[in-house]
Amino acid sequence: MNAELHALNREAAQYGWDLSTQHQSRVEFTLESMVQLAQRKAAWLQDTCDEGALYRQYGWPYDRAYYLLCRGPRNTPEELSEMAQLFSFIQRIYTESEVCIPANCGASSSDDLWSNTFVRYPGLSTGHLDLSFVAPASQELISSTPTKLPKQLQCFSGEPDLERLMLSEGMERVCRGRFLNETVLRWAWESWRMAVGPPMRQSYGRLIELMNSGCMRGANHRDAGECWREELEIPELRILVDRLWHEVKPFYQKLHAVVRHFVRAKHPKETSSIDSDGLIPAHLLGGMWSHSWMGYARDIIPHCVDIDRAFADTNWTSLDLVRRAEDLYASLGLSRMTDEFWKHSVIGKGAAGGKCHGTAANMFADGSSDFRMIVCPRSEAPAQDFYVTVHEMGHIVYYMEASKQPTIFSDGTTAAFQEAFGDAMYLGAVTPQHLVRLGLLDSKHMAPEKMAPWANSTLNSFDYAFLLRMALAKIPTIPFEYLMDQYRWDIFDGSVEYGQDANSYFWFLLQRQQGIRPPSAVRARHPLFDPASVYHLSDNTPFVRYFLASFLSYQIYEGLCRGALYGTVSNPANEIPMPLHRCDLYGSKKAGKLLRKSLARGGSVHWTEVLEELTGDVELSGKSLLRYYQPLSEFLDRFIERHQLVVGWEH
């Protein structure tokens, strides 16, 4: 079984790599080959699992291996072929569609952004994009008569082009910078959803039927949501997810209240309808999915140190970033990258066709040494490049440490741990001490500041500015991750009918839990499919693994800190004698020993055993996350009291 699974995984890994790196001319061939592989693997799984079921009656010792192998859906060859075609269609809609405007837009004061927007779909079909019912009410639109297609167009992909606009990067590219930032943000937000949502809507409905069918036939589950939740081996996952969200929600609400205060001040025209206890328009927060609020960091806590600028001033290449990430892991005694890694990885240059998404790959090569990464630079965000590099290398190191396990156990104990490990290491990579080591921070910012208006005398203004920056980048992603899967689970199990109710229910969740609203009226968005604006829907990737990792990463980081200081995590009396964000892991062989032991077990043991080894706990919790941000939480309390802000929102 192990040898046959290894061969199938190696073939799948090569196809996946080819899809990520090759020109579109090769993609159709690769997709056809992947369909054939999926059908062969489905037949092999059926035979192997039927055979295993016979032996398991006699109490043989391979129960965990066969449990992991044989769970999940069982679609027929015909269903697999149809699913592959549908997923190929919606993935191409997401990755290849472009929103376009006339190349000469901005040359005339009469140019209108909203009525001169076009969409170019895969295959180069281009047509007018009707934004009339989502445009601002004050916008004078050319009725329903389509604008004539210009001879020359300037086009924007969803990622990275429109996403960068939503982070307020490169605004001058739109109509020569003639429009206000608020106008461009709303246009980018609405046009992307109008471009990709409607074409995906019908196909995704059929995919739900096919995924549910496979799960009911295979694991005897009622729907695809149950299949997804089984992968994480948490019996009452929905209850756990809800509990974790409500642990951290009060802190999120404080951030929301303070950011809302500055959104209202920064965009008075756009936000005249926002009450002091109101929902925030989604397009004004940062990112295509309102998940990155870092643009407000310097408004809330101005500081002379700009970490993004410090990264930019180093002029490090992507290769430099990869070398520094490798040094971080190696300093703990973890594996260095292999020769095959340096030979095959795509570092510092876009994949063929210019597309690039941060990726880590286990190629399942004989000898277990071929692990690869894709990382491409973003000139506007080198600090984000460093995060992506450390995170993706975390996947590689996990693969390498678990590579001696049988193939079925070589991916890690759960997908959530895979995502959490790199993020835990990133928390150690951006401590003030390590930033000083990297030459990104002057050591004077490590010292307490006399007479500074901060409650904790052991910290200084940089600590608070740093924690705010981290929180604005990390905390808004948590409700986003929570809601994307709650939405899909409820669609999968039929709690919400997939049809006219689907988009309204999506915004009901975002308004209630995230405190945001669309710039246009929710009732006008019934025929749309706004969840399609998220890559992970077209890629069919569950979000709950990222949600859990958002908590796990802080738990693991705190556990490694205790291990680095005391050599063990099992004694709860061993408190960390410093603010958690200042715990430097670099060079700690004690922490590395803990990691090597845990990572090397891969998926051969239940995740609770790995969690206990790394943290001393057997339950997921928000306590470490809240402890990390406690100084900032206290600062927000004082800010809210001083400005008499309302925490929470009406919906």
PDB file of all heavy atoms in Angstrom, residues 418-446:
ATOM      1  N   GLN A 418      -0.006  21.832   9.859  1.00  0.00           N
ATOM      2  CA  GLN A 418       0.853  22.226   8.741  1.00  0.00           C
ATOM      3  C   GLN A 418       0.838  23.744   8.564  1.00  0.00           C
ATOM      4  O   GLN A 418       1.883  24.356   8.350  1.00  0.00           O
ATOM      5  CB  GLN A 418       0.380  21.550   7.449  1.00  0.00           C
ATOM      6  CG  GLN A 418       1.061  20.238   7.119  1.00  0.00           C
ATOM      7  CD  GLN A 418       2.457  20.443   6.562  1.00  0.00           C
ATOM      8  OE1 GLN A 418       2.922  21.570   6.396  1.00  0.00           O
ATOM      9  NE2 GLN A 418       3.150  19.357   6.272  1.00  0.00           N
ATOM     10  N   GLU A 419      -0.338  24.346   8.642  1.00  0.00           N
ATOM     11  CA  GLU A 419      -0.439  25.789   8.467  1.00  0.00           C
ATOM     12  C   GLU A 419       0.107  26.543   9.680  1.00  0.00           C
ATOM     13  O   GLU A 419       0.668  27.633   9.542  1.00  0.00           O
ATOM     14  CB  GLU A 419      -1.897  26.189   8.229  1.00  0.00           C
ATOM     15  CG  GLU A 419      -2.519  25.610   6.974  1.00  0.00           C
ATOM     16  CD  GLU A 419      -1.799  26.034   5.701  1.00  0.00           C
ATOM     17  OE1 GLU A 419      -1.189  27.126   5.677  1.00  0.00           O
ATOM     18  OE2 GLU A 419      -1.836  25.260   4.728  1.00  0.00           O
ATOM     19  N   ALA A 420      -0.035  25.961  10.877  1.00  0.00           N
ATOM     20  CA  ALA A 420       0.340  26.675  12.104  1.00  0.00           C
ATOM     21  C   ALA A 420       1.838  26.719  12.323  1.00  0.00           C
ATOM     22  O   ALA A 420       2.357  27.684  12.899  1.00  0.00           O
ATOM     23  CB  ALA A 420      -0.329  26.016  13.314  1.00  0.00           C
ATOM     24  N   PHE A 421       2.574  25.696  11.896  1.00  0.00           N
ATOM     25  CA  PHE A 421       3.992  25.616  12.211  1.00  0.00           C
ATOM     26  C   PHE A 421       4.766  26.803  11.644  1.00  0.00           C
ATOM     27  O   PHE A 421       5.510  27.492  12.354  1.00  0.00           O
ATOM     28  CB  PHE A 421       4.570  24.291  11.697  1.00  0.00           C
ATOM     29  CG  PHE A 421       6.065  24.202  11.814  1.00  0.00           C
ATOM     30  CD1 PHE A 421       6.704  24.499  13.018  1.00  0.00           C
ATOM     31  CD2 PHE A 421       6.836  23.834  10.728  1.00  0.00           C
ATOM     32  CE1 PHE A 421       8.093  24.423  13.126  1.00  0.00           C
ATOM     33  CE2 PHE A 421       8.214  23.756  10.828  1.00  0.00           C
ATOM     34  CZ  PHE A 421       8.844  24.056  12.029  1.00  0.00           C
ATOM     35  N   GLY A 422       4.594  27.086  10.360  1.00  0.00           N
ATOM     36  CA  GLY A 422       5.303  28.213   9.763  1.00  0.00           C
ATOM     37  C   GLY A 422       4.916  29.539  10.383  1.00  0.00           C
ATOM     38  O   GLY A 422       5.757  30.431  10.551  1.00  0.00           O
ATOM     39  N   ASP A 423       3.634  29.675  10.754  1.00  0.00           N
ATOM     40  CA  ASP A 423       3.197  30.921  11.382  1.00  0.00           C
ATOM     41  C   ASP A 423       3.784  31.076  12.784  1.00  0.00           C
ATOM     42  O   ASP A 423       4.089  32.196  13.221  1.00  0.00           O
ATOM     43  CB  ASP A 423       1.667  30.974  11.449  1.00  0.00           C
ATOM     44  CG  ASP A 423       1.049  31.420  10.132  1.00  0.00           C
ATOM     45  OD1 ASP A 423       1.792  31.562   9.141  1.00  0.00           O
ATOM     46  OD2 ASP A 423      -0.175  31.627  10.089  1.00  0.00           O
ATOM     47  N   ALA A 424       3.928  29.951  13.523  1.00  0.00           N
ATOM     48  CA  ALA A 424       4.570  30.011  14.839  1.00  0.00           C
ATOM     49  C   ALA A 424       6.028  30.449  14.694  1.00  0.00           C
ATOM     50  O   ALA A 424       6.526  31.264  15.493  1.00  0.00           O
ATOM     51  CB  ALA A 424       4.487  28.652  15.530  1.00  0.00           C
ATOM     52  N   MET A 425       6.702  29.925  13.684  1.00  0.00           N
ATOM     53  CA  MET A 425       8.091  30.320  13.459  1.00  0.00           C
ATOM     54  C   MET A 425       8.187  31.784  13.035  1.00  0.00           C
ATOM     55  O   MET A 425       9.147  32.482  13.377  1.00  0.00           O
ATOM     56  CB  MET A 425       8.728  29.417  12.401  1.00  0.00           C
ATOM     57  CG  MET A 425       8.939  27.979  12.871  1.00  0.00           C
ATOM     58  SD  MET A 425      10.090  27.857  14.260  1.00  0.00           S
ATOM     59  CE  MET A 425      11.614  28.375  13.468  1.00  0.00           C
ATOM     60  N   TYR A 426       7.179  32.265  12.313  1.00  0.00           N
ATOM     61  CA  TYR A 426       7.178  33.680  11.929  1.00  0.00           C
ATOM     62  C   TYR A 426       7.067  34.572  13.155  1.00  0.00           C
ATOM     63  O   TYR A 426       7.710  35.632  13.216  1.00  0.00           O
ATOM     64  CB  TYR A 426       6.024  33.962  10.967  1.00  0.00           C
ATOM     65  CG  TYR A 426       5.912  35.424  10.587  1.00  0.00           C
ATOM     66  CD1 TYR A 426       6.859  36.010   9.751  1.00  0.00           C
ATOM     67  CD2 TYR A 426       4.878  36.218  11.075  1.00  0.00           C
ATOM     68  CE1 TYR A 426       6.768  37.353   9.407  1.00  0.00           C
ATOM     69  CE2 TYR A 426       4.780  37.555  10.742  1.00  0.00           C
ATOM     70  CZ  TYR A 426       5.736  38.118   9.905  1.00  0.00           C
ATOM     71  OH  TYR A 426       5.656  39.447   9.583  1.00  0.00           O
ATOM     72  N   LEU A 427       6.275  34.160  14.152  1.00  0.00           N
ATOM     73  CA  LEU A 427       6.190  34.943  15.390  1.00  0.00           C
ATOM     74  C   LEU A 427       7.569  35.066  16.037  1.00  0.00           C
ATOM     75  O   LEU A 427       7.906  36.096  16.624  1.00  0.00           O
ATOM     76  CB  LEU A 427       5.200  34.305  16.360  1.00  0.00           C
ATOM     77  CG  LEU A 427       3.731  34.303  15.922  1.00  0.00           C
ATOM     78  CD1 LEU A 427       2.879  33.512  16.907  1.00  0.00           C
ATOM     79  CD2 LEU A 427       3.197  35.727  15.784  1.00  0.00           C
ATOM     80  N   GLY A 428       8.375  34.007  15.927  1.00  0.00           N
ATOM     81  CA  GLY A 428       9.735  34.080  16.433  1.00  0.00           C
ATOM     82  C   GLY A 428      10.670  34.861  15.532  1.00  0.00           C
ATOM     83  O   GLY A 428      11.703  35.367  15.986  1.00  0.00           O
ATOM     84  N   ALA A 429      10.308  34.970  14.245  1.00  0.00           N
ATOM     85  CA  ALA A 429      11.178  35.658  13.281  1.00  0.00           C
ATOM     86  C   ALA A 429      11.043  37.171  13.347  1.00  0.00           C
ATOM     87  O   ALA A 429      11.897  37.895  12.840  1.00  0.00           O
ATOM     88  CB  ALA A 429      10.865  35.187  11.863  1.00  0.00           C
ATOM     89  N   VAL A 430       9.951  37.677  13.949  1.00  0.00           N
ATOM     90  CA  VAL A 430       9.736  39.127  13.982  1.00  0.00           C
ATOM     91  C   VAL A 430       9.740  39.672  15.410  1.00  0.00           C
ATOM     92  O   VAL A 430       9.211  40.754  15.656  1.00  0.00           O
ATOM     93  CB  VAL A 430       8.429  39.521  13.262  1.00  0.00           C
ATOM     94  CG1 VAL A 430       8.545  39.256  11.773  1.00  0.00           C
ATOM     95  CG2 VAL A 430       7.222  38.782  13.845  1.00  0.00           C
ATOM     96  N   THR A 431      10.343  38.947  16.344  1.00  0.00           N
ATOM     97  CA  THR A 431      10.533  39.534  17.671  1.00  0.00           C
ATOM     98  C   THR A 431      11.460  40.741  17.530  1.00  0.00           C
ATOM     99  O   THR A 431      12.299  40.787  16.616  1.00  0.00           O
ATOM    100  CB  THR A 431      11.168  38.527  18.637  1.00  0.00           C
ATOM    101  OG1 THR A 431      12.444  38.134  18.133  1.00  0.00           O
ATOM    102  CG2 THR A 431      10.287  37.304  18.821  1.00  0.00           C
ATOM    103  N   PRO A 432      11.324  41.739  18.402  1.00  0.00           N
ATOM    104  CA  PRO A 432      12.246  42.876  18.315  1.00  0.00           C
ATOM    105  C   PRO A 432      13.715  42.449  18.331  1.00  0.00           C
ATOM    106  O   PRO A 432      14.536  43.017  17.601  1.00  0.00           O
ATOM    107  CB  PRO A 432      11.887  43.698  19.562  1.00  0.00           C
ATOM    108  CG  PRO A 432      10.431  43.401  19.784  1.00  0.00           C
ATOM    109  CD  PRO A 432      10.277  41.952  19.420  1.00  0.00           C
ATOM    110  N   GLN A 433      14.056  41.415  19.131  1.00  0.00           N
ATOM    111  CA  GLN A 433      15.451  40.958  19.172  1.00  0.00           C
ATOM    112  C   GLN A 433      15.909  40.468  17.806  1.00  0.00           C
ATOM    113  O   GLN A 433      17.031  40.756  17.374  1.00  0.00           O
ATOM    114  CB  GLN A 433      15.615  39.818  20.199  1.00  0.00           C
ATOM    115  CG  GLN A 433      15.334  40.231  21.629  1.00  0.00           C
ATOM    116  CD  GLN A 433      13.905  39.909  22.031  1.00  0.00           C
ATOM    117  OE1 GLN A 433      12.965  40.201  21.295  1.00  0.00           O
ATOM    118  NE2 GLN A 433      13.753  39.321  23.206  1.00  0.00           N
ATOM    119  N   HIS A 434      15.055  39.693  17.130  1.00  0.00           N
ATOM    120  CA  HIS A 434      15.478  39.153  15.835  1.00  0.00           C
ATOM    121  C   HIS A 434      15.499  40.241  14.765  1.00  0.00           C
ATOM    122  O   HIS A 434      16.329  40.198  13.845  1.00  0.00           O
ATOM    123  CB  HIS A 434      14.579  37.996  15.405  1.00  0.00           C
ATOM    124  CG  HIS A 434      15.172  37.157  14.317  1.00  0.00           C
ATOM    125  ND1 HIS A 434      16.375  36.492  14.442  1.00  0.00           N
ATOM    126  CD2 HIS A 434      14.743  36.889  13.059  1.00  0.00           C
ATOM    127  CE1 HIS A 434      16.658  35.847  13.332  1.00  0.00           C
ATOM    128  NE2 HIS A 434      15.679  36.072  12.469  1.00  0.00           N
ATOM    129  N   LEU A 435      14.598  41.206  14.875  1.00  0.00           N
ATOM    130  CA  LEU A 435      14.645  42.328  13.933  1.00  0.00           C
ATOM    131  C   LEU A 435      15.947  43.102  14.087  1.00  0.00           C
ATOM    132  O   LEU A 435      16.540  43.557  13.100  1.00  0.00           O
ATOM    133  CB  LEU A 435      13.442  43.249  14.162  1.00  0.00           C
ATOM    134  CG  LEU A 435      12.059  42.664  13.818  1.00  0.00           C
ATOM    135  CD1 LEU A 435      10.964  43.641  14.206  1.00  0.00           C
ATOM    136  CD2 LEU A 435      11.962  42.300  12.339  1.00  0.00           C
ATOM    137  N   VAL A 436      16.435  43.247  15.339  1.00  0.00           N
ATOM    138  CA  VAL A 436      17.745  43.870  15.565  1.00  0.00           C
ATOM    139  C   VAL A 436      18.833  43.015  14.928  1.00  0.00           C
ATOM    140  O   VAL A 436      19.745  43.520  14.262  1.00  0.00           O
ATOM    141  CB  VAL A 436      18.009  44.056  17.078  1.00  0.00           C
ATOM    142  CG1 VAL A 436      19.448  44.490  17.325  1.00  0.00           C
ATOM    143  CG2 VAL A 436      17.039  45.079  17.658  1.00  0.00           C
ATOM    144  N   ARG A 437      18.740  41.689  15.106  1.00  0.00           N
ATOM    145  CA  ARG A 437      19.745  40.766  14.548  1.00  0.00           C
ATOM    146  C   ARG A 437      19.804  40.873  13.028  1.00  0.00           C
ATOM    147  O   ARG A 437      20.869  40.762  12.426  1.00  0.00           O
ATOM    148  CB  ARG A 437      19.402  39.340  14.978  1.00  0.00           C
ATOM    149  CG  ARG A 437      20.421  38.288  14.604  1.00  0.00           C
ATOM    150  CD  ARG A 437      20.000  36.910  15.099  1.00  0.00           C
ATOM    151  NE  ARG A 437      20.038  36.826  16.554  1.00  0.00           N
ATOM    152  CZ  ARG A 437      18.976  36.680  17.332  1.00  0.00           C
ATOM    153  NH1 ARG A 437      17.762  36.600  16.788  1.00  0.00           N
ATOM    154  NH2 ARG A 437      19.096  36.601  18.636  1.00  0.00           N
ATOM    155  N   LEU A 438      18.648  41.078  12.402  1.00  0.00           N
ATOM    156  CA  LEU A 438      18.578  41.183  10.942  1.00  0.00           C
ATOM    157  C   LEU A 438      18.969  42.569  10.437  1.00  0.00           C
ATOM    158  O   LEU A 438      19.020  42.791   9.226  1.00  0.00           O
ATOM    159  CB  LEU A 438      17.167  40.852  10.456  1.00  0.00           C
ATOM    160  CG  LEU A 438      16.706  39.397  10.621  1.00  0.00           C
ATOM    161  CD1 LEU A 438      15.224  39.272  10.268  1.00  0.00           C
ATOM    162  CD2 LEU A 438      17.532  38.453   9.757  1.00  0.00           C
ATOM    163  N   GLY A 439      19.219  43.494  11.348  1.00  0.00           N
ATOM    164  CA  GLY A 439      19.578  44.846  10.945  1.00  0.00           C
ATOM    165  C   GLY A 439      18.400  45.698  10.549  1.00  0.00           C
ATOM    166  O   GLY A 439      18.569  46.735   9.891  1.00  0.00           O
ATOM    167  N   LEU A 440      17.187  45.305  10.962  1.00  0.00           N
ATOM    168  CA  LEU A 440      15.979  46.027  10.593  1.00  0.00           C
ATOM    169  C   LEU A 440      15.504  46.984  11.680  1.00  0.00           C
ATOM    170  O   LEU A 440      14.584  47.772  11.457  1.00  0.00           O
ATOM    171  CB  LEU A 440      14.857  45.025  10.282  1.00  0.00           C
ATOM    172  CG  LEU A 440      15.110  44.092   9.101  1.00  0.00           C
ATOM    173  CD1 LEU A 440      14.113  42.949   9.105  1.00  0.00           C
ATOM    174  CD2 LEU A 440      15.042  44.848   7.785  1.00  0.00           C
ATOM    175  N   LEU A 441      16.109  46.894  12.863  1.00  0.00           N
ATOM    176  CA  LEU A 441      15.668  47.701  13.998  1.00  0.00           C
ATOM    177  C   LEU A 441      16.884  48.111  14.815  1.00  0.00           C
ATOM    178  O   LEU A 441      17.767  47.290  15.083  1.00  0.00           O
ATOM    179  CB  LEU A 441      14.701  46.887  14.877  1.00  0.00           C
ATOM    180  CG  LEU A 441      14.118  47.574  16.118  1.00  0.00           C
ATOM    181  CD1 LEU A 441      13.179  48.701  15.706  1.00  0.00           C
ATOM    182  CD2 LEU A 441      13.384  46.557  16.991  1.00  0.00           C
ATOM    183  N   ASP A 442      16.943  49.376  15.188  1.00  0.00           N
ATOM    184  CA  ASP A 442      18.009  49.861  16.059  1.00  0.00           C
ATOM    185  C   ASP A 442      17.790  49.314  17.466  1.00  0.00           C
ATOM    186  O   ASP A 442      16.668  49.332  17.979  1.00  0.00           O
ATOM    187  CB  ASP A 442      18.001  51.393  16.073  1.00  0.00           C
ATOM    188  CG  ASP A 442      19.258  51.976  16.710  1.00  0.00           C
ATOM    189  OD1 ASP A 442      19.565  51.586  17.857  1.00  0.00           O
ATOM    190  OD2 ASP A 442      19.913  52.809  16.067  1.00  0.00           O
ATOM    191  N   SER A 443      18.847  48.843  18.105  1.00  0.00           N
ATOM    192  CA  SER A 443      18.731  48.223  19.425  1.00  0.00           C
ATOM    193  C   SER A 443      18.191  49.189  20.478  1.00  0.00           C
ATOM    194  O   SER A 443      17.693  48.748  21.520  1.00  0.00           O
ATOM    195  CB  SER A 443      20.088  47.674  19.881  1.00  0.00           C
ATOM    196  OG  SER A 443      21.046  48.721  19.945  1.00  0.00           O
ATOM    197  N   LYS A 444      18.248  50.500  20.228  1.00  0.00           N
ATOM    198  CA  LYS A 444      17.719  51.449  21.206  1.00  0.00           C
ATOM    199  C   LYS A 444      16.220  51.269  21.418  1.00  0.00           C
ATOM    200  O   LYS A 444      15.676  51.664  22.457  1.00  0.00           O
ATOM    201  CB  LYS A 444      18.021  52.887  20.783  1.00  0.00           C
ATOM    202  CG  LYS A 444      17.252  53.368  19.559  1.00  0.00           C
ATOM    203  CD  LYS A 444      17.641  54.795  19.181  1.00  0.00           C
ATOM    204  CE  LYS A 444      16.837  55.306  17.973  1.00  0.00           C
ATOM    205  NZ  LYS A 444      17.232  56.681  17.593  1.00  0.00           N
ATOM    206  N   HIS A 445      15.537  50.674  20.413  1.00  0.00           N
ATOM    207  CA  HIS A 445      14.094  50.470  20.533  1.00  0.00           C
ATOM    208  C   HIS A 445      13.750  49.243  21.370  1.00  0.00           C
ATOM    209  O   HIS A 445      12.575  48.899  21.512  1.00  0.00           O
ATOM    210  CB  HIS A 445      13.458  50.361  19.147  1.00  0.00           C
ATOM    211  CG  HIS A 445      13.564  51.626  18.349  1.00  0.00           C
ATOM    212  ND1 HIS A 445      12.894  52.770  18.707  1.00  0.00           N
ATOM    213  CD2 HIS A 445      14.275  51.919  17.231  1.00  0.00           C
ATOM    214  CE1 HIS A 445      13.190  53.730  17.835  1.00  0.00           C
ATOM    215  NE2 HIS A 445      14.023  53.239  16.937  1.00  0.00           N
ATOM    216  N   MET A 446      14.780  48.607  21.929  1.00  0.00           N
ATOM    217  CA  MET A 446      14.547  47.513  22.874  1.00  0.00           C
ATOM    218  C   MET A 446      14.434  48.025  24.310  1.00  0.00           C
ATOM    219  O   MET A 446      13.951  47.322  25.198  1.00  0.00           O
ATOM    220  CB  MET A 446      15.706  46.509  22.794  1.00  0.00           C
ATOM    221  CG  MET A 446      15.798  45.744  21.486  1.00  0.00           C
ATOM    222  SD  MET A 446      14.445  44.580  21.318  1.00  0.00           S
ATOM    223  CE  MET A 446      14.792  43.490  22.687  1.00  0.00           C
TER     224      MET A 446
END
